[in-house]
Amino acid sequence: EVQLVESGGSLVQPGGSLRLSCAASGFSLSDHYMDWVRQAPGKGLEWVGRIRSKPHSHSTEYAASVQDRFTISLDDSDNSLYLQMNSLKTEDTAVYYCGKTRYGAGNYIEHWGQGTRVTVSS
Amino acid sequence: DIQLTQSPSFLSASVGDRVTITCRASQGISSYLAWYQQKPGKAPNVLIYAASTLQSGVPSRFSGSGSGTEFTLTISSLQPEDFATYYCQQLLGYPLSFGGGTKVEV
């Protein structure tokens, strides 16, 4: 059974850093494209970024709003996905979800984690 | 960047109603579109992918259609558990993007 469990969300000051984790089970992270999606309070879904599978060199893509501040990576040894967030802004306040995509048809998100809450405030 | 415009933003409906939600893309995306349902406090769940393919386990009252720039999600007979917010997502071009959402309420 596929499971995704996010952790690491907390209250952080503007300009600070935070690393979110997404522990995966039931499949190998390296075999799939993985996404991060966020949702600000009372707002819609916003795609944050993607890391491609190992055959695609784990290359990454990011939304313009987080480019050069956020970095997606993964650790094969513990099958975990990470989102390193630097230079945080108040507008980064959101629930962050990791998602496992299904290959084909653009790699839509087939499985979602429960989300972890990040609050950026002084 | 590809923008997705969903309409309506809010939809008032009753159990048993036929409901249609539209998603328009700012440029052609072939069939690279998915639909998700989200209930309050929960993660989204995929309903439809490749514009019209029903995700395994999703009730057949949900259907999707369209290609290019105009897409629709239809619920043939609204059930109590279908009151939720629905999002489309384009999967053709980076950055990927979601529509603004359609809240289906009583």
Side-chain angles (χ1 to χ4, degrees), chain A residues 39 43-45 47 50 52 61 97 102 105-110 112-113, chain B residues 32 34 36 38 42-44 46 49-50 55 87 89 91 94-96 98:
Chain A
Q39 187 167 37
K43 302 297 184 183
L45 302 174
W47 179 79
R50 167 172 285 184
R52 295 183 179 87
E61 302 283 349
Y97 297 99
R102 178 179 172 183
N107 294 286
Y108 64 94
I109 298 176
E110 187 178 32
W112 297 69
Chain B
Y32 288 88
Y36 301 89
Q38 186 181 34
K42 300 293 187 182
V46 63
Y49 64 93
Q55 174 74 7
Y87 295 93
Q89 183 194 24
L91 296 151
Y94 293 103
L96 305 185
F98 289 91

PDB file of all heavy atoms in Angstrom, chain A residues 39 43-45 47 50 52 61 97 102 105-110 112-113, chain B residues 32 34 36 38 42-44 46 49-50 55 87 89 91 94-96 98:
ATOM      1  N   GLN A  39      -1.039  24.804  -0.404  1.00  0.00           N
ATOM      2  CA  GLN A  39      -2.352  25.446  -0.349  1.00  0.00           C
ATOM      3  C   GLN A  39      -2.338  26.461   0.783  1.00  0.00           C
ATOM      4  O   GLN A  39      -2.294  26.085   1.961  1.00  0.00           O
ATOM      5  CB  GLN A  39      -3.453  24.408  -0.138  1.00  0.00           C
ATOM      6  CG  GLN A  39      -4.856  24.959  -0.227  1.00  0.00           C
ATOM      7  CD  GLN A  39      -5.893  23.859  -0.321  1.00  0.00           C
ATOM      8  OE1 GLN A  39      -5.770  22.808   0.307  1.00  0.00           O
ATOM      9  NE2 GLN A  39      -6.940  24.092  -1.114  1.00  0.00           N
ATOM     10  N   LYS A  43      -7.256  29.247   0.289  1.00  0.00           N
ATOM     11  CA  LYS A  43      -6.956  29.430  -1.133  1.00  0.00           C
ATOM     12  C   LYS A  43      -6.926  28.095  -1.867  1.00  0.00           C
ATOM     13  O   LYS A  43      -7.117  27.034  -1.292  1.00  0.00           O
ATOM     14  CB  LYS A  43      -5.605  30.149  -1.296  1.00  0.00           C
ATOM     15  CG  LYS A  43      -5.548  31.504  -0.609  1.00  0.00           C
ATOM     16  CD  LYS A  43      -6.535  32.487  -1.195  1.00  0.00           C
ATOM     17  CE  LYS A  43      -6.375  33.858  -0.554  1.00  0.00           C
ATOM     18  NZ  LYS A  43      -7.398  34.833  -1.074  1.00  0.00           N
ATOM     19  N   GLY A  44      -6.654  28.185  -3.165  1.00  0.00           N
ATOM     20  CA  GLY A  44      -6.600  26.995  -4.000  1.00  0.00           C
ATOM     21  C   GLY A  44      -5.246  26.321  -3.974  1.00  0.00           C
ATOM     22  O   GLY A  44      -4.346  26.698  -3.224  1.00  0.00           O
ATOM     23  N   LEU A  45      -5.127  25.307  -4.809  1.00  0.00           N
ATOM     24  CA  LEU A  45      -3.897  24.530  -4.891  1.00  0.00           C
ATOM     25  C   LEU A  45      -2.872  25.252  -5.759  1.00  0.00           C
ATOM     26  O   LEU A  45      -3.220  25.824  -6.794  1.00  0.00           O
ATOM     27  CB  LEU A  45      -4.189  23.151  -5.489  1.00  0.00           C
ATOM     28  CG  LEU A  45      -5.207  22.299  -4.735  1.00  0.00           C
ATOM     29  CD1 LEU A  45      -5.510  21.026  -5.531  1.00  0.00           C
ATOM     30  CD2 LEU A  45      -4.702  21.953  -3.355  1.00  0.00           C
ATOM     31  N   TRP A  47       0.930  24.406  -7.498  1.00  0.00           N
ATOM     32  CA  TRP A  47       2.034  23.488  -7.761  1.00  0.00           C
ATOM     33  C   TRP A  47       3.341  24.166  -7.395  1.00  0.00           C
ATOM     34  O   TRP A  47       3.580  25.314  -7.785  1.00  0.00           O
ATOM     35  CB  TRP A  47       2.025  23.090  -9.229  1.00  0.00           C
ATOM     36  CG  TRP A  47       3.115  22.168  -9.639  1.00  0.00           C
ATOM     37  CD1 TRP A  47       3.180  20.820  -9.443  1.00  0.00           C
ATOM     38  CD2 TRP A  47       4.321  22.521 -10.325  1.00  0.00           C
ATOM     39  NE1 TRP A  47       4.344  20.322  -9.966  1.00  0.00           N
ATOM     40  CE2 TRP A  47       5.057  21.347 -10.522  1.00  0.00           C
ATOM     41  CE3 TRP A  47       4.845  23.723 -10.811  1.00  0.00           C
ATOM     42  CZ2 TRP A  47       6.294  21.320 -11.166  1.00  0.00           C
ATOM     43  CZ3 TRP A  47       6.063  23.708 -11.453  1.00  0.00           C
ATOM     44  CH2 TRP A  47       6.782  22.513 -11.625  1.00  0.00           C
ATOM     45  N   ARG A  50       8.651  19.673  -8.928  1.00  0.00           N
ATOM     46  CA  ARG A  50       8.676  18.256  -9.293  1.00  0.00           C
ATOM     47  C   ARG A  50      10.117  17.768  -9.367  1.00  0.00           C
ATOM     48  O   ARG A  50      11.002  18.518  -9.803  1.00  0.00           O
ATOM     49  CB  ARG A  50       7.983  18.053 -10.628  1.00  0.00           C
ATOM     50  CG  ARG A  50       8.188  16.700 -11.304  1.00  0.00           C
ATOM     51  CD  ARG A  50       7.303  16.549 -12.526  1.00  0.00           C
ATOM     52  NE  ARG A  50       5.916  16.307 -12.134  1.00  0.00           N
ATOM     53  CZ  ARG A  50       4.939  16.062 -12.988  1.00  0.00           C
ATOM     54  NH1 ARG A  50       5.172  16.051 -14.282  1.00  0.00           N
ATOM     55  NH2 ARG A  50       3.707  15.851 -12.553  1.00  0.00           N
ATOM     56  N   ARG A  52      12.010  14.435 -11.093  1.00  0.00           N
ATOM     57  CA  ARG A  52      11.772  13.310 -11.987  1.00  0.00           C
ATOM     58  C   ARG A  52      12.430  12.037 -11.439  1.00  0.00           C
ATOM     59  O   ARG A  52      13.233  12.087 -10.510  1.00  0.00           O
ATOM     60  CB  ARG A  52      12.292  13.627 -13.387  1.00  0.00           C
ATOM     61  CG  ARG A  52      11.535  14.786 -14.064  1.00  0.00           C
ATOM     62  CD  ARG A  52      12.032  15.032 -15.475  1.00  0.00           C
ATOM     63  NE  ARG A  52      11.319  16.098 -16.157  1.00  0.00           N
ATOM     64  CZ  ARG A  52      11.653  17.387 -16.081  1.00  0.00           C
ATOM     65  NH1 ARG A  52      12.685  17.768 -15.357  1.00  0.00           N
ATOM     66  NH2 ARG A  52      10.943  18.292 -16.739  1.00  0.00           N
ATOM     67  N   GLU A  61      11.950  20.669 -11.586  1.00  0.00           N
ATOM     68  CA  GLU A  61      11.243  21.828 -12.130  1.00  0.00           C
ATOM     69  C   GLU A  61      10.597  22.553 -10.956  1.00  0.00           C
ATOM     70  O   GLU A  61      10.185  21.906  -9.987  1.00  0.00           O
ATOM     71  CB  GLU A  61      10.144  21.413 -13.113  1.00  0.00           C
ATOM     72  CG  GLU A  61      10.596  20.594 -14.290  1.00  0.00           C
ATOM     73  CD  GLU A  61      11.270  21.403 -15.372  1.00  0.00           C
ATOM     74  OE1 GLU A  61      11.218  22.649 -15.317  1.00  0.00           O
ATOM     75  OE2 GLU A  61      11.845  20.768 -16.292  1.00  0.00           O
ATOM     76  N   TYR A  97       1.841  19.624   0.535  1.00  0.00           N
ATOM     77  CA  TYR A  97       1.565  18.220   0.250  1.00  0.00           C
ATOM     78  C   TYR A  97       2.646  17.658  -0.673  1.00  0.00           C
ATOM     79  O   TYR A  97       3.058  18.326  -1.630  1.00  0.00           O
ATOM     80  CB  TYR A  97       0.237  18.059  -0.484  1.00  0.00           C
ATOM     81  CG  TYR A  97      -1.002  18.501   0.255  1.00  0.00           C
ATOM     82  CD1 TYR A  97      -1.579  19.742   0.001  1.00  0.00           C
ATOM     83  CD2 TYR A  97      -1.621  17.659   1.180  1.00  0.00           C
ATOM     84  CE1 TYR A  97      -2.742  20.142   0.653  1.00  0.00           C
ATOM     85  CE2 TYR A  97      -2.778  18.054   1.841  1.00  0.00           C
ATOM     86  CZ  TYR A  97      -3.324  19.294   1.575  1.00  0.00           C
ATOM     87  OH  TYR A  97      -4.470  19.673   2.226  1.00  0.00           O
ATOM     88  N   ARG A 102       1.600   9.221 -11.276  1.00  0.00           N
ATOM     89  CA  ARG A 102       1.461   8.004 -12.069  1.00  0.00           C
ATOM     90  C   ARG A 102       1.981   8.289 -13.463  1.00  0.00           C
ATOM     91  O   ARG A 102       1.583   9.287 -14.088  1.00  0.00           O
ATOM     92  CB  ARG A 102       0.011   7.555 -12.141  1.00  0.00           C
ATOM     93  CG  ARG A 102      -0.196   6.305 -12.999  1.00  0.00           C
ATOM     94  CD  ARG A 102      -1.642   5.894 -13.024  1.00  0.00           C
ATOM     95  NE  ARG A 102      -1.866   4.821 -13.978  1.00  0.00           N
ATOM     96  CZ  ARG A 102      -3.055   4.306 -14.251  1.00  0.00           C
ATOM     97  NH1 ARG A 102      -4.128   4.775 -13.642  1.00  0.00           N
ATOM     98  NH2 ARG A 102      -3.185   3.337 -15.140  1.00  0.00           N
ATOM     99  N   ALA A 105       0.229  10.255 -19.338  1.00  0.00           N
ATOM    100  CA  ALA A 105      -0.758  11.338 -19.343  1.00  0.00           C
ATOM    101  C   ALA A 105      -0.264  12.526 -18.529  1.00  0.00           C
ATOM    102  O   ALA A 105      -1.045  13.167 -17.817  1.00  0.00           O
ATOM    103  CB  ALA A 105      -2.105  10.850 -18.822  1.00  0.00           C
ATOM    104  N   GLY A 106       1.027  12.779 -18.613  1.00  0.00           N
ATOM    105  CA  GLY A 106       1.574  13.930 -17.926  1.00  0.00           C
ATOM    106  C   GLY A 106       1.973  13.703 -16.478  1.00  0.00           C
ATOM    107  O   GLY A 106       2.440  14.631 -15.815  1.00  0.00           O
ATOM    108  N   ASN A 107       1.824  12.498 -16.002  1.00  0.00           N
ATOM    109  CA  ASN A 107       2.201  12.228 -14.606  1.00  0.00           C
ATOM    110  C   ASN A 107       1.354  13.022 -13.627  1.00  0.00           C
ATOM    111  O   ASN A 107       1.833  13.956 -12.960  1.00  0.00           O
ATOM    112  CB  ASN A 107       3.691  12.526 -14.363  1.00  0.00           C
ATOM    113  CG  ASN A 107       4.593  11.602 -15.125  1.00  0.00           C
ATOM    114  OD1 ASN A 107       4.746  10.439 -14.781  1.00  0.00           O
ATOM    115  ND2 ASN A 107       5.174  12.099 -16.194  1.00  0.00           N
ATOM    116  N   TYR A 108       0.085  12.657 -13.558  1.00  0.00           N
ATOM    117  CA  TYR A 108      -0.806  13.309 -12.599  1.00  0.00           C
ATOM    118  C   TYR A 108      -0.544  12.730 -11.209  1.00  0.00           C
ATOM    119  O   TYR A 108       0.050  11.654 -11.060  1.00  0.00           O
ATOM    120  CB  TYR A 108      -2.267  13.100 -13.008  1.00  0.00           C
ATOM    121  CG  TYR A 108      -2.713  11.655 -12.976  1.00  0.00           C
ATOM    122  CD1 TYR A 108      -3.336  11.112 -11.862  1.00  0.00           C
ATOM    123  CD2 TYR A 108      -2.482  10.813 -14.074  1.00  0.00           C
ATOM    124  CE1 TYR A 108      -3.732   9.791 -11.835  1.00  0.00           C
ATOM    125  CE2 TYR A 108      -2.877   9.481 -14.049  1.00  0.00           C
ATOM    126  CZ  TYR A 108      -3.500   8.983 -12.931  1.00  0.00           C
ATOM    127  OH  TYR A 108      -3.875   7.663 -12.898  1.00  0.00           O
ATOM    128  N   ILE A 109      -0.995  13.438 -10.175  1.00  0.00           N
ATOM    129  CA  ILE A 109      -0.759  12.978  -8.803  1.00  0.00           C
ATOM    130  C   ILE A 109      -1.809  11.934  -8.442  1.00  0.00           C
ATOM    131  O   ILE A 109      -2.999  12.229  -8.338  1.00  0.00           O
ATOM    132  CB  ILE A 109      -0.779  14.144  -7.800  1.00  0.00           C
ATOM    133  CG1 ILE A 109       0.346  15.131  -8.128  1.00  0.00           C
ATOM    134  CG2 ILE A 109      -0.625  13.616  -6.372  1.00  0.00           C
ATOM    135  CD1 ILE A 109       0.359  16.368  -7.248  1.00  0.00           C
ATOM    136  N   GLU A 110      -1.328  10.719  -8.242  1.00  0.00           N
ATOM    137  CA  GLU A 110      -2.220   9.600  -7.932  1.00  0.00           C
ATOM    138  C   GLU A 110      -2.384   9.389  -6.428  1.00  0.00           C
ATOM    139  O   GLU A 110      -3.423   8.913  -5.970  1.00  0.00           O
ATOM    140  CB  GLU A 110      -1.683   8.329  -8.588  1.00  0.00           C
ATOM    141  CG  GLU A 110      -2.610   7.133  -8.485  1.00  0.00           C
ATOM    142  CD  GLU A 110      -2.039   5.925  -9.195  1.00  0.00           C
ATOM    143  OE1 GLU A 110      -0.813   5.770  -9.224  1.00  0.00           O
ATOM    144  OE2 GLU A 110      -2.835   5.106  -9.696  1.00  0.00           O
ATOM    145  N   TRP A 112      -1.536  11.242  -2.526  1.00  0.00           N
ATOM    146  CA  TRP A 112      -1.163  12.454  -1.802  1.00  0.00           C
ATOM    147  C   TRP A 112      -0.867  12.121  -0.345  1.00  0.00           C
ATOM    148  O   TRP A 112      -1.486  11.234   0.236  1.00  0.00           O
ATOM    149  CB  TRP A 112      -2.311  13.471  -1.819  1.00  0.00           C
ATOM    150  CG  TRP A 112      -2.721  13.988  -3.155  1.00  0.00           C
ATOM    151  CD1 TRP A 112      -3.347  13.286  -4.155  1.00  0.00           C
ATOM    152  CD2 TRP A 112      -2.555  15.322  -3.641  1.00  0.00           C
ATOM    153  NE1 TRP A 112      -3.576  14.120  -5.237  1.00  0.00           N
ATOM    154  CE2 TRP A 112      -3.108  15.360  -4.945  1.00  0.00           C
ATOM    155  CE3 TRP A 112      -1.998  16.493  -3.109  1.00  0.00           C
ATOM    156  CZ2 TRP A 112      -3.116  16.536  -5.728  1.00  0.00           C
ATOM    157  CZ3 TRP A 112      -2.015  17.652  -3.875  1.00  0.00           C
ATOM    158  CH2 TRP A 112      -2.566  17.663  -5.167  1.00  0.00           C
ATOM    159  N   GLY A 113       0.054  12.863   0.249  1.00  0.00           N
ATOM    160  CA  GLY A 113       0.227  12.801   1.683  1.00  0.00           C
ATOM    161  C   GLY A 113      -0.867  13.603   2.378  1.00  0.00           C
ATOM    162  O   GLY A 113      -1.720  14.210   1.729  1.00  0.00           O
TER     163      GLY A 113
ATOM    164  N   TYR B  32      -3.820  16.607 -21.692  1.00  0.00           N
ATOM    165  CA  TYR B  32      -3.001  16.568 -20.481  1.00  0.00           C
ATOM    166  C   TYR B  32      -3.675  17.326 -19.339  1.00  0.00           C
ATOM    167  O   TYR B  32      -3.190  18.369 -18.867  1.00  0.00           O
ATOM    168  CB  TYR B  32      -1.610  17.128 -20.760  1.00  0.00           C
ATOM    169  CG  TYR B  32      -0.766  16.206 -21.596  1.00  0.00           C
ATOM    170  CD1 TYR B  32      -0.802  16.257 -22.988  1.00  0.00           C
ATOM    171  CD2 TYR B  32       0.067  15.265 -21.001  1.00  0.00           C
ATOM    172  CE1 TYR B  32      -0.027  15.403 -23.756  1.00  0.00           C
ATOM    173  CE2 TYR B  32       0.847  14.406 -21.760  1.00  0.00           C
ATOM    174  CZ  TYR B  32       0.788  14.485 -23.129  1.00  0.00           C
ATOM    175  OH  TYR B  32       1.553  13.636 -23.891  1.00  0.00           O
ATOM    176  N   ALA B  34      -6.028  16.773 -15.602  1.00  0.00           N
ATOM    177  CA  ALA B  34      -6.578  15.944 -14.537  1.00  0.00           C
ATOM    178  C   ALA B  34      -7.566  16.758 -13.716  1.00  0.00           C
ATOM    179  O   ALA B  34      -7.466  17.986 -13.650  1.00  0.00           O
ATOM    180  CB  ALA B  34      -5.463  15.415 -13.637  1.00  0.00           C
ATOM    181  N   TYR B  36      -9.359  16.901  -9.786  1.00  0.00           N
ATOM    182  CA  TYR B  36      -9.231  16.459  -8.397  1.00  0.00           C
ATOM    183  C   TYR B  36     -10.421  16.965  -7.596  1.00  0.00           C
ATOM    184  O   TYR B  36     -10.967  18.045  -7.869  1.00  0.00           O
ATOM    185  CB  TYR B  36      -7.947  17.001  -7.762  1.00  0.00           C
ATOM    186  CG  TYR B  36      -6.674  16.599  -8.461  1.00  0.00           C
ATOM    187  CD1 TYR B  36      -6.147  17.366  -9.488  1.00  0.00           C
ATOM    188  CD2 TYR B  36      -5.986  15.439  -8.092  1.00  0.00           C
ATOM    189  CE1 TYR B  36      -4.978  17.006 -10.131  1.00  0.00           C
ATOM    190  CE2 TYR B  36      -4.808  15.075  -8.730  1.00  0.00           C
ATOM    191  CZ  TYR B  36      -4.317  15.862  -9.746  1.00  0.00           C
ATOM    192  OH  TYR B  36      -3.158  15.495 -10.388  1.00  0.00           O
ATOM    193  N   GLN B  38     -11.454  17.874  -3.559  1.00  0.00           N
ATOM    194  CA  GLN B  38     -10.889  18.109  -2.239  1.00  0.00           C
ATOM    195  C   GLN B  38     -11.996  18.454  -1.252  1.00  0.00           C
ATOM    196  O   GLN B  38     -12.812  19.343  -1.510  1.00  0.00           O
ATOM    197  CB  GLN B  38      -9.859  19.239  -2.250  1.00  0.00           C
ATOM    198  CG  GLN B  38      -9.137  19.401  -0.914  1.00  0.00           C
ATOM    199  CD  GLN B  38      -8.132  20.523  -0.911  1.00  0.00           C
ATOM    200  OE1 GLN B  38      -8.311  21.551  -1.556  1.00  0.00           O
ATOM    201  NE2 GLN B  38      -7.044  20.350  -0.159  1.00  0.00           N
ATOM    202  N   LYS B  42      -8.753  18.017   4.054  1.00  0.00           N
ATOM    203  CA  LYS B  42      -8.196  16.782   3.495  1.00  0.00           C
ATOM    204  C   LYS B  42      -7.352  17.077   2.261  1.00  0.00           C
ATOM    205  O   LYS B  42      -7.485  18.128   1.634  1.00  0.00           O
ATOM    206  CB  LYS B  42      -9.334  15.823   3.089  1.00  0.00           C
ATOM    207  CG  LYS B  42     -10.243  15.422   4.242  1.00  0.00           C
ATOM    208  CD  LYS B  42      -9.521  14.575   5.257  1.00  0.00           C
ATOM    209  CE  LYS B  42     -10.472  14.043   6.320  1.00  0.00           C
ATOM    210  NZ  LYS B  42      -9.752  13.242   7.345  1.00  0.00           N
ATOM    211  N   ALA B  43      -6.490  16.133   1.927  1.00  0.00           N
ATOM    212  CA  ALA B  43      -5.734  16.231   0.679  1.00  0.00           C
ATOM    213  C   ALA B  43      -6.666  15.972  -0.507  1.00  0.00           C
ATOM    214  O   ALA B  43      -7.682  15.295  -0.368  1.00  0.00           O
ATOM    215  CB  ALA B  43      -4.599  15.220   0.686  1.00  0.00           C
ATOM    216  N   PRO B  44      -6.324  16.510  -1.655  1.00  0.00           N
ATOM    217  CA  PRO B  44      -7.124  16.220  -2.859  1.00  0.00           C
ATOM    218  C   PRO B  44      -7.044  14.747  -3.239  1.00  0.00           C
ATOM    219  O   PRO B  44      -6.143  14.026  -2.817  1.00  0.00           O
ATOM    220  CB  PRO B  44      -6.458  17.092  -3.934  1.00  0.00           C
ATOM    221  CG  PRO B  44      -5.680  18.121  -3.183  1.00  0.00           C
ATOM    222  CD  PRO B  44      -5.234  17.455  -1.923  1.00  0.00           C
ATOM    223  N   VAL B  46      -7.577  12.334  -6.943  1.00  0.00           N
ATOM    224  CA  VAL B  46      -7.797  12.414  -8.385  1.00  0.00           C
ATOM    225  C   VAL B  46      -9.092  11.702  -8.764  1.00  0.00           C
ATOM    226  O   VAL B  46      -9.430  10.640  -8.228  1.00  0.00           O
ATOM    227  CB  VAL B  46      -6.588  11.813  -9.159  1.00  0.00           C
ATOM    228  CG1 VAL B  46      -6.397  10.344  -8.864  1.00  0.00           C
ATOM    229  CG2 VAL B  46      -6.723  12.086 -10.646  1.00  0.00           C
ATOM    230  N   TYR B  49      -8.129  11.541 -15.205  1.00  0.00           N
ATOM    231  CA  TYR B  49      -6.846  11.911 -15.799  1.00  0.00           C
ATOM    232  C   TYR B  49      -6.940  11.741 -17.307  1.00  0.00           C
ATOM    233  O   TYR B  49      -7.887  11.143 -17.817  1.00  0.00           O
ATOM    234  CB  TYR B  49      -5.688  11.096 -15.207  1.00  0.00           C
ATOM    235  CG  TYR B  49      -5.751   9.607 -15.488  1.00  0.00           C
ATOM    236  CD1 TYR B  49      -5.094   9.059 -16.585  1.00  0.00           C
ATOM    237  CD2 TYR B  49      -6.461   8.736 -14.651  1.00  0.00           C
ATOM    238  CE1 TYR B  49      -5.140   7.698 -16.845  1.00  0.00           C
ATOM    239  CE2 TYR B  49      -6.509   7.383 -14.906  1.00  0.00           C
ATOM    240  CZ  TYR B  49      -5.849   6.863 -15.997  1.00  0.00           C
ATOM    241  OH  TYR B  49      -5.899   5.515 -16.248  1.00  0.00           O
ATOM    242  N   ALA B  50      -5.973  12.304 -17.984  1.00  0.00           N
ATOM    243  CA  ALA B  50      -5.988  12.306 -19.458  1.00  0.00           C
ATOM    244  C   ALA B  50      -7.330  12.832 -19.974  1.00  0.00           C
ATOM    245  O   ALA B  50      -7.871  12.315 -20.950  1.00  0.00           O
ATOM    246  CB  ALA B  50      -5.682  10.920 -20.008  1.00  0.00           C
ATOM    247  N   GLN B  55     -10.339   7.533 -12.897  1.00  0.00           N
ATOM    248  CA  GLN B  55      -9.382   6.881 -11.999  1.00  0.00           C
ATOM    249  C   GLN B  55     -10.048   5.672 -11.359  1.00  0.00           C
ATOM    250  O   GLN B  55     -11.239   5.700 -11.013  1.00  0.00           O
ATOM    251  CB  GLN B  55      -8.916   7.858 -10.919  1.00  0.00           C
ATOM    252  CG  GLN B  55      -8.041   7.270  -9.840  1.00  0.00           C
ATOM    253  CD  GLN B  55      -6.623   6.962 -10.295  1.00  0.00           C
ATOM    254  OE1 GLN B  55      -6.225   7.303 -11.419  1.00  0.00           O
ATOM    255  NE2 GLN B  55      -5.852   6.354  -9.426  1.00  0.00           N
ATOM    256  N   TYR B  87     -10.819  20.824  -8.637  1.00  0.00           N
ATOM    257  CA  TYR B  87      -9.737  21.532  -9.320  1.00  0.00           C
ATOM    258  C   TYR B  87      -9.329  20.782 -10.581  1.00  0.00           C
ATOM    259  O   TYR B  87      -9.247  19.542 -10.576  1.00  0.00           O
ATOM    260  CB  TYR B  87      -8.495  21.626  -8.429  1.00  0.00           C
ATOM    261  CG  TYR B  87      -8.657  22.439  -7.179  1.00  0.00           C
ATOM    262  CD1 TYR B  87      -9.033  21.828  -5.988  1.00  0.00           C
ATOM    263  CD2 TYR B  87      -8.417  23.813  -7.174  1.00  0.00           C
ATOM    264  CE1 TYR B  87      -9.173  22.565  -4.821  1.00  0.00           C
ATOM    265  CE2 TYR B  87      -8.558  24.565  -6.005  1.00  0.00           C
ATOM    266  CZ  TYR B  87      -8.940  23.932  -4.845  1.00  0.00           C
ATOM    267  OH  TYR B  87      -9.074  24.671  -3.694  1.00  0.00           O
ATOM    268  N   GLN B  89      -6.089  20.462 -13.368  1.00  0.00           N
ATOM    269  CA  GLN B  89      -4.636  20.674 -13.418  1.00  0.00           C
ATOM    270  C   GLN B  89      -4.143  20.336 -14.808  1.00  0.00           C
ATOM    271  O   GLN B  89      -4.476  19.262 -15.338  1.00  0.00           O
ATOM    272  CB  GLN B  89      -3.902  19.803 -12.385  1.00  0.00           C
ATOM    273  CG  GLN B  89      -2.398  20.057 -12.364  1.00  0.00           C
ATOM    274  CD  GLN B  89      -1.604  18.994 -11.612  1.00  0.00           C
ATOM    275  OE1 GLN B  89      -2.039  17.858 -11.458  1.00  0.00           O
ATOM    276  NE2 GLN B  89      -0.428  19.374 -11.120  1.00  0.00           N
ATOM    277  N   LEU B  91      -1.020  19.316 -17.241  1.00  0.00           N
ATOM    278  CA  LEU B  91       0.191  18.523 -17.041  1.00  0.00           C
ATOM    279  C   LEU B  91       1.067  18.542 -18.293  1.00  0.00           C
ATOM    280  O   LEU B  91       1.921  17.680 -18.457  1.00  0.00           O
ATOM    281  CB  LEU B  91      -0.205  17.092 -16.676  1.00  0.00           C
ATOM    282  CG  LEU B  91      -0.954  16.999 -15.356  1.00  0.00           C
ATOM    283  CD1 LEU B  91      -1.906  15.808 -15.354  1.00  0.00           C
ATOM    284  CD2 LEU B  91       0.008  16.883 -14.190  1.00  0.00           C
ATOM    285  N   TYR B  94       5.594  23.162 -18.178  1.00  0.00           N
ATOM    286  CA  TYR B  94       6.060  23.701 -16.903  1.00  0.00           C
ATOM    287  C   TYR B  94       6.082  25.223 -16.957  1.00  0.00           C
ATOM    288  O   TYR B  94       6.444  25.799 -17.986  1.00  0.00           O
ATOM    289  CB  TYR B  94       7.460  23.167 -16.600  1.00  0.00           C
ATOM    290  CG  TYR B  94       7.481  21.688 -16.344  1.00  0.00           C
ATOM    291  CD1 TYR B  94       7.936  20.792 -17.312  1.00  0.00           C
ATOM    292  CD2 TYR B  94       7.017  21.158 -15.139  1.00  0.00           C
ATOM    293  CE1 TYR B  94       7.942  19.429 -17.087  1.00  0.00           C
ATOM    294  CE2 TYR B  94       7.014  19.795 -14.905  1.00  0.00           C
ATOM    295  CZ  TYR B  94       7.479  18.937 -15.871  1.00  0.00           C
ATOM    296  OH  TYR B  94       7.462  17.586 -15.652  1.00  0.00           O
ATOM    297  N   PRO B  95       5.693  25.898 -15.870  1.00  0.00           N
ATOM    298  CA  PRO B  95       5.247  25.296 -14.615  1.00  0.00           C
ATOM    299  C   PRO B  95       3.855  24.678 -14.732  1.00  0.00           C
ATOM    300  O   PRO B  95       2.977  25.246 -15.393  1.00  0.00           O
ATOM    301  CB  PRO B  95       5.237  26.478 -13.659  1.00  0.00           C
ATOM    302  CG  PRO B  95       4.948  27.655 -14.532  1.00  0.00           C
ATOM    303  CD  PRO B  95       5.651  27.376 -15.823  1.00  0.00           C
ATOM    304  N   LEU B  96       3.676  23.526 -14.099  1.00  0.00           N
ATOM    305  CA  LEU B  96       2.349  22.947 -14.046  1.00  0.00           C
ATOM    306  C   LEU B  96       1.429  23.925 -13.308  1.00  0.00           C
ATOM    307  O   LEU B  96       1.886  24.770 -12.525  1.00  0.00           O
ATOM    308  CB  LEU B  96       2.371  21.606 -13.324  1.00  0.00           C
ATOM    309  CG  LEU B  96       3.348  20.560 -13.868  1.00  0.00           C
ATOM    310  CD1 LEU B  96       3.176  19.240 -13.117  1.00  0.00           C
ATOM    311  CD2 LEU B  96       3.168  20.359 -15.364  1.00  0.00           C
ATOM    312  N   PHE B  98      -2.809  24.702 -11.661  1.00  0.00           N
ATOM    313  CA  PHE B  98      -4.158  24.308 -11.289  1.00  0.00           C
ATOM    314  C   PHE B  98      -5.128  25.428 -11.643  1.00  0.00           C
ATOM    315  O   PHE B  98      -4.759  26.612 -11.662  1.00  0.00           O
ATOM    316  CB  PHE B  98      -4.263  24.069  -9.775  1.00  0.00           C
ATOM    317  CG  PHE B  98      -3.554  22.838  -9.285  1.00  0.00           C
ATOM    318  CD1 PHE B  98      -2.241  22.893  -8.857  1.00  0.00           C
ATOM    319  CD2 PHE B  98      -4.221  21.621  -9.216  1.00  0.00           C
ATOM    320  CE1 PHE B  98      -1.586  21.765  -8.390  1.00  0.00           C
ATOM    321  CE2 PHE B  98      -3.588  20.479  -8.737  1.00  0.00           C
ATOM    322  CZ  PHE B  98      -2.263  20.553  -8.327  1.00  0.00           C
TER     323      PHE B  98
END
